[in-house]
Amino acid sequence: MPAHDGGSNSGISAGGDVRIDASTVALNHSTAITEAPAETDREAAIAELRTAVRLLTEQLRSSQDRYEDGAELVEAAEHVEAELTREEPRRNALLRWLGFIAPGVQTTAAVAADVAAIQSSVTSLL
């Protein structure tokens, strides 16, 4: 194990598409914030979360026939999108819908990683 030189933290690369840097975890092309951001960053983080959920919804919509409950997964993702348009999104509602989506997409590793990253972001942001 290499000795720590006391210099700046350049993050941790866990191999593959996983990278941990300060309070952010990047999985493939998804990012999860692991600690609450400063209030000034919160709005930007929620905007990024909205984008991530929009992309997830599009991905589920385009491949819904690959999943046993494809139509329900798309509907749940649409509920998440709608909740994120509220002035104050409800954390429990978001986690409930994401909790429905997560087991339904386990057969697709990239989508499952995206859902996990979104769940982590919701947990830390709201």
Side-chain angles (χ1 to χ4, degrees), residues 75-96:
E75 184 179 338
E78 290 169 346
H79 282 289
V80 173
E81 277 190 276
E83 187 64 35
L84 286 170
T85 64
R86 294 172 54 109
E87 187 173 323
E88 286 296 323
R90 298 171 299 179
R91 180 178 185 251
N92 288 339
L94 290 166
L95 292 175
R96 181 176 56 243

Side-chain angles (χ1 to χ4, degrees), residues 17-126:
D17 291 336
V18 178
R19 178 163 176 76
I20 301 170
D21 189 7
S23 64
T24 303
V25 178
L27 300 168
N28 193 1
H29 60 279
S30 303
T31 301
I33 299 167
T34 59
E35 63 184 45
E39 190 60 37
T40 56
D41 296 334
R42 186 174 187 267
E43 287 183 31
I46 290 175
E48 288 178 18
L49 186 56
R50 287 181 183 127
T51 300
V53 171
R54 181 182 49 78
L55 293 172
L56 172 66
T57 304
E58 290 172 8
Q59 189 172 23
L60 289 172
R61 209 176 270 129
S62 69
S63 61
Q64 71 181 15
D65 58 332
R66 295 175 62 191
Y67 303 106
E68 183 178 334
D69 298 321
E72 290 84 4
L73 294 172
V74 170
E75 184 179 338
E78 290 169 346
H79 282 289
V80 173
E81 277 190 276
E83 187 64 35
L84 286 170
T85 64
R86 294 172 54 109
E87 187 173 323
E88 286 296 323
R90 298 171 299 179
R91 180 178 185 251
N92 288 339
L94 290 166
L95 292 175
R96 181 176 56 243
W97 289 114
L98 290 166
F100 173 79
I101 296 169
V105 297
Q106 287 303 311
T107 58
T108 309
V111 177
D114 291 345
V115 173
I118 291 169
Q119 286 175 307
S120 294
S121 293
V122 166
T123 300
S124 65
L125 282 172
L126 305 172

